[in-house]
Amino acid sequence: MLSKLLPPGEKIDVQERNPTPHRKRCQVNVDGSVALVASQEWWEDGDGIDVVADAFPQVKSAQLTGDSTSLHTGTGALKKVEACDKVGYSGYTLFTAIQVYARGVDDSVAVEKLIGDYTSGVEASATCR
């Protein structure tokens, strides 16, 4: 699904950025331009997905799912990580996000699949153990 969200190009570069202990980002560049950012962010318990969504411009027109734990558009998604109680993060809830910056890319099916797969990977990783 990732390939559907990247523009055509010759060189893909992936950079990990961790601006704070509560935030991890993986930035995918294509031919030197930001194409996609996947992130994990710890937010205070009680911050709902609507509050968290305000920090992610690529999900501004997203619709909430029926259970209010995720939202997505063709250019971004946000999901509450349900299975994550990391020691040291008491009082916080983990959210995953996908933001697509590639021009001309808008695929809500691919974004929804990617956020689901990414969130499952985070739940199985050291981040949540």
Side-chain angles (χ1 to χ4, degrees):
M1 283 298 155
L2 181 60
S3 62
K4 291 185 175 189
L5 300 173
L6 299 178
E10 294 183 19
K11 183 179 179 202
I12 295 176
D13 178 46
V14 178
Q15 300 172 348
E16 185 176 323
R17 298 175 187 266
N18 301 317
T20 71
H22 286 86
R23 183 177 301 142
K24 290 182 180 181
R25 290 189 175 151
C26 177
Q27 180 175 307
V28 180
N29 299 321
V30 176
D31 294 340
S33 296
V34 178
L36 185 139
V37 175
S39 61
Q40 307 166 30
E41 297 195 14
W42 292 94
W43 286 70
E44 290 185 17
D45 285 349
D47 286 340
I49 199 162
D50 55 332
V51 171
V52 177
D54 286 342
F56 296 91
Q58 300 309 98
V59 299
K60 64 184 171 195
S61 63
Q63 299 295 318
L64 279 171
T65 57
D67 63 3
S68 298
T69 61
S70 66
L71 49 81
H72 74 280
T73 67
T75 59
L78 184 62
K79 188 167 181 68
K80 181 179 178 182
V81 181
E82 298 288 340
C84 195
D85 289 321
K86 179 75 171 182
V87 174
Y89 284 92
S90 177
Y92 292 89
T93 301
L94 184 62
F95 289 86
T96 54
I98 299 294
Q99 297 181 87
V100 180
Y101 292 96
R103 216 174 268 193
V105 176
D106 189 334
D107 187 332
S108 63
V109 173
V111 169
E112 183 177 24
K113 173 82 169 111
L114 183 59
I115 194 69
D117 291 348
Y118 180 56
T119 302
S120 294
V122 169
E123 288 173 337
S125 75
T127 298
C128 289
R129 291 189 240 157

PDB file of all heavy atoms in Angstrom, residues 33-70:
ATOM      1  N   SER A  33      12.125  15.452  -1.846  1.00  0.00           N
ATOM      2  CA  SER A  33      10.936  16.120  -1.321  1.00  0.00           C
ATOM      3  C   SER A  33      10.181  15.187  -0.365  1.00  0.00           C
ATOM      4  O   SER A  33      10.079  13.984  -0.624  1.00  0.00           O
ATOM      5  CB  SER A  33       9.989  16.513  -2.451  1.00  0.00           C
ATOM      6  OG  SER A  33      10.603  17.466  -3.281  1.00  0.00           O
ATOM      7  N   VAL A  34       9.638  15.767   0.700  1.00  0.00           N
ATOM      8  CA  VAL A  34       8.864  14.976   1.659  1.00  0.00           C
ATOM      9  C   VAL A  34       7.624  14.433   0.961  1.00  0.00           C
ATOM     10  O   VAL A  34       6.841  15.180   0.370  1.00  0.00           O
ATOM     11  CB  VAL A  34       8.426  15.830   2.874  1.00  0.00           C
ATOM     12  CG1 VAL A  34       7.580  15.000   3.826  1.00  0.00           C
ATOM     13  CG2 VAL A  34       9.621  16.404   3.587  1.00  0.00           C
ATOM     14  N   ALA A  35       7.459  13.113   1.006  1.00  0.00           N
ATOM     15  CA  ALA A  35       6.309  12.469   0.380  1.00  0.00           C
ATOM     16  C   ALA A  35       5.324  11.942   1.422  1.00  0.00           C
ATOM     17  O   ALA A  35       4.110  12.015   1.226  1.00  0.00           O
ATOM     18  CB  ALA A  35       6.766  11.328  -0.514  1.00  0.00           C
ATOM     19  N   LEU A  36       5.846  11.425   2.548  1.00  0.00           N
ATOM     20  CA  LEU A  36       4.988  10.816   3.549  1.00  0.00           C
ATOM     21  C   LEU A  36       5.689  10.843   4.902  1.00  0.00           C
ATOM     22  O   LEU A  36       6.916  10.695   4.969  1.00  0.00           O
ATOM     23  CB  LEU A  36       4.702   9.362   3.152  1.00  0.00           C
ATOM     24  CG  LEU A  36       3.733   8.576   4.016  1.00  0.00           C
ATOM     25  CD1 LEU A  36       2.813   7.737   3.141  1.00  0.00           C
ATOM     26  CD2 LEU A  36       4.469   7.679   4.990  1.00  0.00           C
ATOM     27  N   VAL A  37       4.908  11.024   5.955  1.00  0.00           N
ATOM     28  CA  VAL A  37       5.437  10.957   7.316  1.00  0.00           C
ATOM     29  C   VAL A  37       4.548  10.026   8.122  1.00  0.00           C
ATOM     30  O   VAL A  37       3.326  10.191   8.148  1.00  0.00           O
ATOM     31  CB  VAL A  37       5.477  12.360   7.985  1.00  0.00           C
ATOM     32  CG1 VAL A  37       5.918  12.244   9.437  1.00  0.00           C
ATOM     33  CG2 VAL A  37       6.390  13.303   7.222  1.00  0.00           C
ATOM     34  N   ALA A  38       5.175   9.041   8.758  1.00  0.00           N
ATOM     35  CA  ALA A  38       4.480   8.153   9.694  1.00  0.00           C
ATOM     36  C   ALA A  38       4.986   8.506  11.083  1.00  0.00           C
ATOM     37  O   ALA A  38       6.183   8.703  11.278  1.00  0.00           O
ATOM     38  CB  ALA A  38       4.786   6.698   9.370  1.00  0.00           C
ATOM     39  N   SER A  39       4.076   8.622  12.040  1.00  0.00           N
ATOM     40  CA  SER A  39       4.525   9.013  13.372  1.00  0.00           C
ATOM     41  C   SER A  39       3.783   8.290  14.478  1.00  0.00           C
ATOM     42  O   SER A  39       2.695   7.737  14.277  1.00  0.00           O
ATOM     43  CB  SER A  39       4.405  10.526  13.551  1.00  0.00           C
ATOM     44  OG  SER A  39       3.074  10.949  13.423  1.00  0.00           O
ATOM     45  N   GLN A  40       4.422   8.307  15.650  1.00  0.00           N
ATOM     46  CA  GLN A  40       3.861   7.781  16.879  1.00  0.00           C
ATOM     47  C   GLN A  40       3.972   8.905  17.901  1.00  0.00           C
ATOM     48  O   GLN A  40       5.060   9.455  18.073  1.00  0.00           O
ATOM     49  CB  GLN A  40       4.669   6.593  17.388  1.00  0.00           C
ATOM     50  CG  GLN A  40       4.876   5.502  16.390  1.00  0.00           C
ATOM     51  CD  GLN A  40       5.962   4.533  16.833  1.00  0.00           C
ATOM     52  OE1 GLN A  40       6.178   4.319  18.020  1.00  0.00           O
ATOM     53  NE2 GLN A  40       6.656   3.949  15.873  1.00  0.00           N
ATOM     54  N   GLU A  41       2.861   9.222  18.563  1.00  0.00           N
ATOM     55  CA  GLU A  41       2.894  10.324  19.526  1.00  0.00           C
ATOM     56  C   GLU A  41       2.092   9.969  20.762  1.00  0.00           C
ATOM     57  O   GLU A  41       0.964   9.495  20.673  1.00  0.00           O
ATOM     58  CB  GLU A  41       2.332  11.602  18.897  1.00  0.00           C
ATOM     59  CG  GLU A  41       3.160  12.075  17.733  1.00  0.00           C
ATOM     60  CD  GLU A  41       2.848  13.504  17.319  1.00  0.00           C
ATOM     61  OE1 GLU A  41       2.189  14.234  18.088  1.00  0.00           O
ATOM     62  OE2 GLU A  41       3.277  13.884  16.227  1.00  0.00           O
ATOM     63  N   TRP A  42       2.696  10.211  21.916  1.00  0.00           N
ATOM     64  CA  TRP A  42       2.018  10.019  23.196  1.00  0.00           C
ATOM     65  C   TRP A  42       1.306  11.323  23.564  1.00  0.00           C
ATOM     66  O   TRP A  42       1.936  12.383  23.593  1.00  0.00           O
ATOM     67  CB  TRP A  42       3.025   9.656  24.283  1.00  0.00           C
ATOM     68  CG  TRP A  42       3.648   8.306  24.111  1.00  0.00           C
ATOM     69  CD1 TRP A  42       4.824   8.013  23.482  1.00  0.00           C
ATOM     70  CD2 TRP A  42       3.121   7.065  24.570  1.00  0.00           C
ATOM     71  NE1 TRP A  42       5.058   6.668  23.519  1.00  0.00           N
ATOM     72  CE2 TRP A  42       4.033   6.057  24.194  1.00  0.00           C
ATOM     73  CE3 TRP A  42       1.964   6.709  25.270  1.00  0.00           C
ATOM     74  CZ2 TRP A  42       3.829   4.709  24.493  1.00  0.00           C
ATOM     75  CZ3 TRP A  42       1.760   5.363  25.574  1.00  0.00           C
ATOM     76  CH2 TRP A  42       2.681   4.387  25.187  1.00  0.00           C
ATOM     77  N   TRP A  43       0.013  11.234  23.826  1.00  0.00           N
ATOM     78  CA  TRP A  43      -0.795  12.377  24.236  1.00  0.00           C
ATOM     79  C   TRP A  43      -1.384  12.091  25.608  1.00  0.00           C
ATOM     80  O   TRP A  43      -1.577  10.933  25.970  1.00  0.00           O
ATOM     81  CB  TRP A  43      -1.921  12.621  23.224  1.00  0.00           C
ATOM     82  CG  TRP A  43      -1.427  13.234  21.946  1.00  0.00           C
ATOM     83  CD1 TRP A  43      -0.662  12.652  20.997  1.00  0.00           C
ATOM     84  CD2 TRP A  43      -1.657  14.567  21.508  1.00  0.00           C
ATOM     85  NE1 TRP A  43      -0.406  13.530  19.973  1.00  0.00           N
ATOM     86  CE2 TRP A  43      -1.008  14.714  20.261  1.00  0.00           C
ATOM     87  CE3 TRP A  43      -2.360  15.638  22.030  1.00  0.00           C
ATOM     88  CZ2 TRP A  43      -1.031  15.899  19.541  1.00  0.00           C
ATOM     89  CZ3 TRP A  43      -2.398  16.818  21.300  1.00  0.00           C
ATOM     90  CH2 TRP A  43      -1.727  16.942  20.074  1.00  0.00           C
ATOM     91  N   GLU A  44      -1.686  13.145  26.348  1.00  0.00           N
ATOM     92  CA  GLU A  44      -2.243  12.965  27.683  1.00  0.00           C
ATOM     93  C   GLU A  44      -3.570  12.224  27.612  1.00  0.00           C
ATOM     94  O   GLU A  44      -4.383  12.463  26.714  1.00  0.00           O
ATOM     95  CB  GLU A  44      -2.434  14.321  28.373  1.00  0.00           C
ATOM     96  CG  GLU A  44      -1.123  14.975  28.743  1.00  0.00           C
ATOM     97  CD  GLU A  44      -1.324  16.263  29.529  1.00  0.00           C
ATOM     98  OE1 GLU A  44      -2.417  16.494  30.066  1.00  0.00           O
ATOM     99  OE2 GLU A  44      -0.357  17.034  29.608  1.00  0.00           O
ATOM    100  N   ASP A  45      -3.764  11.299  28.578  1.00  0.00           N
ATOM    101  CA  ASP A  45      -5.055  10.622  28.669  1.00  0.00           C
ATOM    102  C   ASP A  45      -6.155  11.674  28.720  1.00  0.00           C
ATOM    103  O   ASP A  45      -6.005  12.717  29.358  1.00  0.00           O
ATOM    104  CB  ASP A  45      -5.134   9.753  29.932  1.00  0.00           C
ATOM    105  CG  ASP A  45      -4.333   8.470  29.819  1.00  0.00           C
ATOM    106  OD1 ASP A  45      -3.877   8.139  28.704  1.00  0.00           O
ATOM    107  OD2 ASP A  45      -4.161   7.795  30.857  1.00  0.00           O
ATOM    108  N   GLY A  46      -7.216  11.411  28.041  1.00  0.00           N
ATOM    109  CA  GLY A  46      -8.323  12.365  27.996  1.00  0.00           C
ATOM    110  C   GLY A  46      -8.335  13.194  26.730  1.00  0.00           C
ATOM    111  O   GLY A  46      -9.363  13.744  26.355  1.00  0.00           O
ATOM    112  N   ASP A  47      -7.179  13.302  26.060  1.00  0.00           N
ATOM    113  CA  ASP A  47      -7.153  13.993  24.772  1.00  0.00           C
ATOM    114  C   ASP A  47      -7.791  13.060  23.746  1.00  0.00           C
ATOM    115  O   ASP A  47      -7.247  11.990  23.448  1.00  0.00           O
ATOM    116  CB  ASP A  47      -5.723  14.331  24.334  1.00  0.00           C
ATOM    117  CG  ASP A  47      -5.121  15.479  25.128  1.00  0.00           C
ATOM    118  OD1 ASP A  47      -5.893  16.248  25.729  1.00  0.00           O
ATOM    119  OD2 ASP A  47      -3.887  15.603  25.134  1.00  0.00           O
ATOM    120  N   GLY A  48      -8.935  13.449  23.230  1.00  0.00           N
ATOM    121  CA  GLY A  48      -9.629  12.626  22.249  1.00  0.00           C
ATOM    122  C   GLY A  48      -8.996  12.747  20.883  1.00  0.00           C
ATOM    123  O   GLY A  48      -8.169  13.633  20.625  1.00  0.00           O
ATOM    124  N   ILE A  49      -9.411  11.877  20.005  1.00  0.00           N
ATOM    125  CA  ILE A  49      -8.841  11.868  18.658  1.00  0.00           C
ATOM    126  C   ILE A  49      -9.114  13.177  17.928  1.00  0.00           C
ATOM    127  O   ILE A  49      -8.306  13.632  17.125  1.00  0.00           O
ATOM    128  CB  ILE A  49      -9.335  10.642  17.857  1.00  0.00           C
ATOM    129  CG1 ILE A  49      -8.404  10.398  16.671  1.00  0.00           C
ATOM    130  CG2 ILE A  49     -10.785  10.789  17.445  1.00  0.00           C
ATOM    131  CD1 ILE A  49      -8.505   9.020  16.083  1.00  0.00           C
ATOM    132  N   ASP A  50     -10.221  13.839  18.258  1.00  0.00           N
ATOM    133  CA  ASP A  50     -10.523  15.132  17.630  1.00  0.00           C
ATOM    134  C   ASP A  50      -9.516  16.198  18.044  1.00  0.00           C
ATOM    135  O   ASP A  50      -9.122  17.032  17.237  1.00  0.00           O
ATOM    136  CB  ASP A  50     -11.954  15.566  17.942  1.00  0.00           C
ATOM    137  CG  ASP A  50     -12.253  15.613  19.429  1.00  0.00           C
ATOM    138  OD1 ASP A  50     -11.619  14.861  20.208  1.00  0.00           O
ATOM    139  OD2 ASP A  50     -13.136  16.397  19.832  1.00  0.00           O
ATOM    140  N   VAL A  51      -9.063  16.163  19.288  1.00  0.00           N
ATOM    141  CA  VAL A  51      -8.060  17.114  19.774  1.00  0.00           C
ATOM    142  C   VAL A  51      -6.713  16.819  19.124  1.00  0.00           C
ATOM    143  O   VAL A  51      -6.028  17.718  18.633  1.00  0.00           O
ATOM    144  CB  VAL A  51      -7.941  17.042  21.320  1.00  0.00           C
ATOM    145  CG1 VAL A  51      -6.758  17.855  21.820  1.00  0.00           C
ATOM    146  CG2 VAL A  51      -9.232  17.496  21.968  1.00  0.00           C
ATOM    147  N   VAL A  52      -6.337  15.546  19.083  1.00  0.00           N
ATOM    148  CA  VAL A  52      -5.068  15.136  18.491  1.00  0.00           C
ATOM    149  C   VAL A  52      -5.038  15.488  16.999  1.00  0.00           C
ATOM    150  O   VAL A  52      -4.024  15.941  16.469  1.00  0.00           O
ATOM    151  CB  VAL A  52      -4.823  13.633  18.720  1.00  0.00           C
ATOM    152  CG1 VAL A  52      -3.532  13.186  18.052  1.00  0.00           C
ATOM    153  CG2 VAL A  52      -4.777  13.317  20.218  1.00  0.00           C
ATOM    154  N   ALA A  53      -6.153  15.306  16.325  1.00  0.00           N
ATOM    155  CA  ALA A  53      -6.231  15.570  14.878  1.00  0.00           C
ATOM    156  C   ALA A  53      -5.884  17.012  14.532  1.00  0.00           C
ATOM    157  O   ALA A  53      -5.373  17.281  13.440  1.00  0.00           O
ATOM    158  CB  ALA A  53      -7.622  15.223  14.358  1.00  0.00           C
ATOM    159  N   ASP A  54      -6.123  17.943  15.436  1.00  0.00           N
ATOM    160  CA  ASP A  54      -5.793  19.346  15.174  1.00  0.00           C
ATOM    161  C   ASP A  54      -4.302  19.560  14.917  1.00  0.00           C
ATOM    162  O   ASP A  54      -3.905  20.543  14.308  1.00  0.00           O
ATOM    163  CB  ASP A  54      -6.251  20.235  16.334  1.00  0.00           C
ATOM    164  CG  ASP A  54      -7.750  20.431  16.358  1.00  0.00           C
ATOM    165  OD1 ASP A  54      -8.414  20.186  15.321  1.00  0.00           O
ATOM    166  OD2 ASP A  54      -8.278  20.810  17.422  1.00  0.00           O
ATOM    167  N   ALA A  55      -3.460  18.634  15.381  1.00  0.00           N
ATOM    168  CA  ALA A  55      -2.015  18.758  15.199  1.00  0.00           C
ATOM    169  C   ALA A  55      -1.533  18.177  13.871  1.00  0.00           C
ATOM    170  O   ALA A  55      -0.349  18.261  13.553  1.00  0.00           O
ATOM    171  CB  ALA A  55      -1.290  18.065  16.353  1.00  0.00           C
ATOM    172  N   PHE A  56      -2.445  17.598  13.091  1.00  0.00           N
ATOM    173  CA  PHE A  56      -2.070  16.927  11.845  1.00  0.00           C
ATOM    174  C   PHE A  56      -2.838  17.524  10.676  1.00  0.00           C
ATOM    175  O   PHE A  56      -3.987  17.162  10.428  1.00  0.00           O
ATOM    176  CB  PHE A  56      -2.352  15.418  11.951  1.00  0.00           C
ATOM    177  CG  PHE A  56      -1.518  14.745  13.003  1.00  0.00           C
ATOM    178  CD1 PHE A  56      -1.986  14.619  14.301  1.00  0.00           C
ATOM    179  CD2 PHE A  56      -0.257  14.264  12.693  1.00  0.00           C
ATOM    180  CE1 PHE A  56      -1.217  14.018  15.275  1.00  0.00           C
ATOM    181  CE2 PHE A  56       0.522  13.659  13.668  1.00  0.00           C
ATOM    182  CZ  PHE A  56       0.047  13.536  14.959  1.00  0.00           C
ATOM    183  N   PRO A  57      -2.214  18.437   9.926  1.00  0.00           N
ATOM    184  CA  PRO A  57      -2.924  19.126   8.847  1.00  0.00           C
ATOM    185  C   PRO A  57      -3.443  18.203   7.751  1.00  0.00           C
ATOM    186  O   PRO A  57      -4.451  18.506   7.115  1.00  0.00           O
ATOM    187  CB  PRO A  57      -1.889  20.095   8.289  1.00  0.00           C
ATOM    188  CG  PRO A  57      -0.569  19.640   8.787  1.00  0.00           C
ATOM    189  CD  PRO A  57      -0.825  18.874  10.041  1.00  0.00           C
ATOM    190  N   GLN A  58      -2.824  17.066   7.534  1.00  0.00           N
ATOM    191  CA  GLN A  58      -3.241  16.180   6.448  1.00  0.00           C
ATOM    192  C   GLN A  58      -4.533  15.416   6.761  1.00  0.00           C
ATOM    193  O   GLN A  58      -5.052  14.722   5.908  1.00  0.00           O
ATOM    194  CB  GLN A  58      -2.129  15.200   6.099  1.00  0.00           C
ATOM    195  CG  GLN A  58      -0.832  15.845   5.640  1.00  0.00           C
ATOM    196  CD  GLN A  58      -1.010  16.859   4.542  1.00  0.00           C
ATOM    197  OE1 GLN A  58      -1.066  18.052   4.800  1.00  0.00           O
ATOM    198  NE2 GLN A  58      -1.111  16.414   3.320  1.00  0.00           N
ATOM    199  N   VAL A  59      -5.065  15.543   7.963  1.00  0.00           N
ATOM    200  CA  VAL A  59      -6.323  14.865   8.313  1.00  0.00           C
ATOM    201  C   VAL A  59      -7.440  15.864   8.605  1.00  0.00           C
ATOM    202  O   VAL A  59      -8.462  15.513   9.167  1.00  0.00           O
ATOM    203  CB  VAL A  59      -6.152  13.881   9.502  1.00  0.00           C
ATOM    204  CG1 VAL A  59      -5.167  12.792   9.165  1.00  0.00           C
ATOM    205  CG2 VAL A  59      -5.762  14.597  10.773  1.00  0.00           C
ATOM    206  N   LYS A  60      -7.273  17.100   8.176  1.00  0.00           N
ATOM    207  CA  LYS A  60      -8.222  18.157   8.540  1.00  0.00           C
ATOM    208  C   LYS A  60      -9.658  17.897   8.099  1.00  0.00           C
ATOM    209  O   LYS A  60     -10.591  18.341   8.745  1.00  0.00           O
ATOM    210  CB  LYS A  60      -7.737  19.511   8.051  1.00  0.00           C
ATOM    211  CG  LYS A  60      -7.645  19.620   6.554  1.00  0.00           C
ATOM    212  CD  LYS A  60      -7.074  20.962   6.151  1.00  0.00           C
ATOM    213  CE  LYS A  60      -6.785  20.952   4.660  1.00  0.00           C
ATOM    214  NZ  LYS A  60      -5.946  22.024   4.258  1.00  0.00           N
ATOM    215  N   SER A  61      -9.879  17.167   7.025  1.00  0.00           N
ATOM    216  CA  SER A  61     -11.243  16.914   6.560  1.00  0.00           C
ATOM    217  C   SER A  61     -11.687  15.479   6.843  1.00  0.00           C
ATOM    218  O   SER A  61     -12.654  14.998   6.263  1.00  0.00           O
ATOM    219  CB  SER A  61     -11.347  17.196   5.058  1.00  0.00           C
ATOM    220  OG  SER A  61     -10.506  16.299   4.351  1.00  0.00           O
ATOM    221  N   ALA A  62     -11.003  14.802   7.748  1.00  0.00           N
ATOM    222  CA  ALA A  62     -11.273  13.395   8.012  1.00  0.00           C
ATOM    223  C   ALA A  62     -12.585  13.183   8.770  1.00  0.00           C
ATOM    224  O   ALA A  62     -13.040  14.042   9.510  1.00  0.00           O
ATOM    225  CB  ALA A  62     -10.125  12.794   8.820  1.00  0.00           C
ATOM    226  N   GLN A  63     -13.136  12.004   8.550  1.00  0.00           N
ATOM    227  CA  GLN A  63     -14.338  11.580   9.254  1.00  0.00           C
ATOM    228  C   GLN A  63     -13.963  10.516  10.274  1.00  0.00           C
ATOM    229  O   GLN A  63     -13.196   9.609   9.981  1.00  0.00           O
ATOM    230  CB  GLN A  63     -15.349  10.998   8.257  1.00  0.00           C
ATOM    231  CG  GLN A  63     -15.808  11.976   7.201  1.00  0.00           C
ATOM    232  CD  GLN A  63     -16.588  13.131   7.794  1.00  0.00           C
ATOM    233  OE1 GLN A  63     -17.413  12.938   8.669  1.00  0.00           O
ATOM    234  NE2 GLN A  63     -16.315  14.336   7.327  1.00  0.00           N
ATOM    235  N   LEU A  64     -14.546  10.629  11.469  1.00  0.00           N
ATOM    236  CA  LEU A  64     -14.301   9.641  12.512  1.00  0.00           C
ATOM    237  C   LEU A  64     -14.930   8.302  12.153  1.00  0.00           C
ATOM    238  O   LEU A  64     -15.979   8.254  11.514  1.00  0.00           O
ATOM    239  CB  LEU A  64     -14.922  10.105  13.835  1.00  0.00           C
ATOM    240  CG  LEU A  64     -14.144  11.111  14.654  1.00  0.00           C
ATOM    241  CD1 LEU A  64     -15.001  11.622  15.798  1.00  0.00           C
ATOM    242  CD2 LEU A  64     -12.868  10.503  15.193  1.00  0.00           C
ATOM    243  N   THR A  65     -14.312   7.223  12.612  1.00  0.00           N
ATOM    244  CA  THR A  65     -14.916   5.907  12.464  1.00  0.00           C
ATOM    245  C   THR A  65     -16.018   5.779  13.503  1.00  0.00           C
ATOM    246  O   THR A  65     -16.106   6.578  14.435  1.00  0.00           O
ATOM    247  CB  THR A  65     -13.875   4.788  12.691  1.00  0.00           C
ATOM    248  OG1 THR A  65     -13.304   4.953  13.991  1.00  0.00           O
ATOM    249  CG2 THR A  65     -12.806   4.807  11.628  1.00  0.00           C
ATOM    250  N   GLY A  66     -16.822   4.757  13.375  1.00  0.00           N
ATOM    251  CA  GLY A  66     -17.937   4.546  14.291  1.00  0.00           C
ATOM    252  C   GLY A  66     -17.532   4.420  15.748  1.00  0.00           C
ATOM    253  O   GLY A  66     -18.243   4.857  16.638  1.00  0.00           O
ATOM    254  N   ASP A  67     -16.351   3.837  16.003  1.00  0.00           N
ATOM    255  CA  ASP A  67     -15.915   3.673  17.397  1.00  0.00           C
ATOM    256  C   ASP A  67     -15.076   4.852  17.902  1.00  0.00           C
ATOM    257  O   ASP A  67     -14.589   4.834  19.020  1.00  0.00           O
ATOM    258  CB  ASP A  67     -15.152   2.359  17.563  1.00  0.00           C
ATOM    259  CG  ASP A  67     -13.865   2.303  16.742  1.00  0.00           C
ATOM    260  OD1 ASP A  67     -13.513   3.297  16.076  1.00  0.00           O
ATOM    261  OD2 ASP A  67     -13.220   1.243  16.765  1.00  0.00           O
ATOM    262  N   SER A  68     -14.896   5.868  17.079  1.00  0.00           N
ATOM    263  CA  SER A  68     -14.171   7.100  17.432  1.00  0.00           C
ATOM    264  C   SER A  68     -12.713   6.869  17.838  1.00  0.00           C
ATOM    265  O   SER A  68     -12.157   7.644  18.604  1.00  0.00           O
ATOM    266  CB  SER A  68     -14.907   7.860  18.538  1.00  0.00           C
ATOM    267  OG  SER A  68     -16.181   8.253  18.110  1.00  0.00           O
ATOM    268  N   THR A  69     -12.095   5.800  17.339  1.00  0.00           N
ATOM    269  CA  THR A  69     -10.688   5.555  17.657  1.00  0.00           C
ATOM    270  C   THR A  69      -9.771   5.823  16.468  1.00  0.00           C
ATOM    271  O   THR A  69      -8.559   5.754  16.604  1.00  0.00           O
ATOM    272  CB  THR A  69     -10.448   4.104  18.132  1.00  0.00           C
ATOM    273  OG1 THR A  69     -10.810   3.210  17.081  1.00  0.00           O
ATOM    274  CG2 THR A  69     -11.245   3.810  19.399  1.00  0.00           C
ATOM    275  N   SER A  70     -10.346   6.114  15.305  1.00  0.00           N
ATOM    276  CA  SER A  70      -9.510   6.426  14.153  1.00  0.00           C
ATOM    277  C   SER A  70     -10.270   7.320  13.184  1.00  0.00           C
ATOM    278  O   SER A  70     -11.490   7.448  13.251  1.00  0.00           O
ATOM    279  CB  SER A  70      -9.051   5.144  13.440  1.00  0.00           C
ATOM    280  OG  SER A  70     -10.138   4.471  12.868  1.00  0.00           O
TER     281      SER A  70
END
